[in-house]
Amino acid sequence: MEIKQLLYFVMVVQQSSFSEAAKKLHLSQPSLSKAIKNLETEVGFRLLERTTKKIQLTDSGKVIYERALHILNEADILQQEIKEVKWNGSGKVQIGMIESVKNWIPSILHWYQQAFPSMKVKLIEVLSLEDVKRLLRQYKVHACLTNHFIDSPEFLTTPLYEERLAIIMHPGHLLASKESLTLADLEDEPFIITSDGFQTRRDIITVCNEEGIRLNIQYEVERFETIIELVRANIGISIIPHKYFDNRVDQSLVIKMIDSQSLKRTVYLTYLKSRYMPPAIEALIGRMQLPLTKNVSSIKRAEKK
């Protein structure tokens, strides 16, 4: 039995047609029919019920189909890993990231550029938990910087740092002149928050529930960038990670810390435990897991050399 035979079989099932499957595979229909018959002869039983209207799997065929899907997926992963073995010194690394790490990751990349100058880095914005898992499983990214903790034996998740959440508002807002703020001050204000499924939203809602605060949520968006533009237009107020601003002064916004020690989130590095990582990519992942002070000192030493 060959991988090619399983591919032909799966394509026929998915297209429910020999003619359509033959087009997808760039084969003649007689050649495809012969290949499926040879596969049935080899396994010793019929895989497909053929009628004039449609093609259906036999009960035995359903078992082989599921196994074939698994084998083909493993074969695809093997091809990916074979390619990655060649990426040690002149390849690429793909990292998923949330918005707020944009001010944290440059120091890491500065070190990496000097240590592995021939490596190319692609940063992909990945926000939702399902997208993090999907991109890692499909080998679209090597690792993700995320605020989702993935409690699964399939993934290795390491906390990197904590970041406080801050309230942002227009300079003309009534609360802008108040020296200190609590969550209770926000209850009646039009509030802008990230959409369902985003961890930052869950973090904010959880703290508010714990403190008995009911936010007046009027706008839901997916990106902090959009939230900031709405706040600049004095549409409402919001809470986002303080590190997003990197302590830079922005005259179009008022940024205040809230009197709540619970209003914070953790940023994690997560990746598949079983995935092979070439040495150059292992080095980047290892560097990201070092404490920030060690990263900075390592970079400074590299600059002096």
Side-chain angles (χ1 to χ4, degrees):
M1 187 182 301
E2 298 176 355
I3 293 289
K4 182 169 64 175
Q5 290 176 292
L6 296 179
L7 175 62
Y8 291 174
F9 169 55
V10 166
M11 186 63 72
V12 170
V13 175
Q14 291 179 343
Q15 297 298 316
S16 298
S17 164
F18 275 87
S19 59
E20 291 301 316
K23 290 178 185 177
K24 294 279 186 181
L25 294 166
H26 305 290
L27 292 174
S28 67
Q29 188 170 333
S31 296
L32 180 58
S33 298
K34 183 179 179 181
I36 298 301
K37 286 181 180 179
N38 289 341
L39 179 60
E40 289 178 321
T41 300
E42 189 170 343
V43 299
F45 49 81
R46 293 179 66 182
L47 300 171
L48 300 169
E49 293 286 359
R50 302 163 177 82
T51 68
T52 55
K53 292 185 178 181
K54 59 182 178 179
I55 295 171
Q56 289 184 316
L57 285 166
T58 63
D59 288 341
S60 299
K62 291 176 183 178
V63 176
I64 302 302
Y65 177 71
E66 293 299 325
R67 293 299 299 165
L69 286 176
H70 177 75
I71 291 169
L72 291 173
N73 182 60
E74 288 297 314
D76 286 342
I77 290 175
L78 175 59
Q79 289 297 323
Q80 290 281 352
E81 291 184 337
I82 289 171
K83 291 178 183 178
E84 288 185 353
V85 169
K86 302 175 183 178
W87 289 358
N88 281 332
S90 59
K92 60 182 178 180
V93 55
Q94 299 183 147
I95 302 294
M97 56 176 276
I98 51 176
E99 288 181 87
S100 67
V101 304
K102 67 185 178 70
N103 294 317
W104 174 85
I105 202 169
S107 63
I108 307 295
L109 297 181
H110 182 72
W111 169 85
Y112 196 60
Q113 185 181 54
Q114 295 188 39
F116 298 90
S118 59
M119 288 292 289
K120 302 192 185 311
V121 180
K122 183 175 184 179
L123 300 176
I124 302 170
E125 191 171 281
V126 186
L127 303 179
S128 72
L129 176 59
E130 290 309 310
D131 283 343
V132 169
K133 292 179 179 178
R134 177 178 57 82
L135 292 179
L136 287 170
R137 285 171 176 153
Q138 293 180 356
Y139 280 37
K140 301 297 184 183
V141 295
H142 293 91
C144 270
L145 295 163
T146 177
N147 59 325
H148 298 284
F149 177 76
I150 304 178
D151 186 11
S152 166
E154 185 181 1
F155 299 95
L156 184 62
T157 302
T158 305
L160 297 181
Y161 59 86
E162 283 190 343
E163 56 184 358
R164 296 280 304 278
L165 302 181
I167 181 172
I168 59 171
M169 65 189 76
H170 188 273
H173 196 280
L174 290 175
L175 295 177
S177 59
K178 194 170 181 180
E179 287 191 14
S180 63
L181 294 174
T182 66
L183 285 173
D185 293 318
L186 314 184
E187 276 195 306
D188 297 326
E189 301 297 329
F191 198 81
I192 309 164
I193 198 167
T194 48
S195 304
D196 277 329
F198 290 90
Q199 187 62 43
T200 302
R201 178 193 178 105
R202 284 194 287 267
D203 292 339
I204 293 170
I205 297 297
T206 297
V207 174
C208 287
N209 289 340
E210 289 173 353
E211 299 190 16
I213 305 301
R214 191 176 188 85
L215 293 174
N216 177 23
I217 297 174
Q218 290 197 6
Y219 304 95
E220 299 180 49
V221 301
E222 294 194 347
R223 304 188 77 253
F224 293 145
E225 183 180 347
T226 306
I227 289 177
I228 289 171
E229 290 307 313
L230 293 178
V231 171
R232 283 191 176 121
N234 207 11
I235 298 296
I237 62 175
S238 188
I239 295 173
I240 70 172
H242 188 256
K243 278 188 178 292
Y244 186 87
F245 298 99
D246 194 30
N247 297 319
R248 286 174 293 191
V249 177
D250 188 333
Q251 299 294 337
S252 65
L253 295 172
V254 171
I255 305 166
K256 289 180 176 287
M257 302 307 295
I258 300 177
D259 186 16
S260 173
Q261 293 301 314
S262 301
L263 204 58
K264 58 186 178 182
R265 71 177 189 175
T266 302
V267 175
Y268 302 95
L269 175 70
T270 186
Y271 52 92
L272 285 171
K273 283 183 179 180
S274 61
R275 182 172 184 178
Y276 169 77
M277 298 285 188
I281 296 175
E282 274 190 339
L284 177 58
I285 290 174
R287 182 61 59 182
M288 287 192 289
Q289 293 178 86
L290 289 176
L292 187 58
T293 53
K294 289 187 178 181
N295 278 318
V296 173
S297 62
S298 297
I299 291 165
K300 287 182 177 178
R301 286 197 299 272
E303 289 175 339
K304 291 178 181 179
K305 291 181 179 180

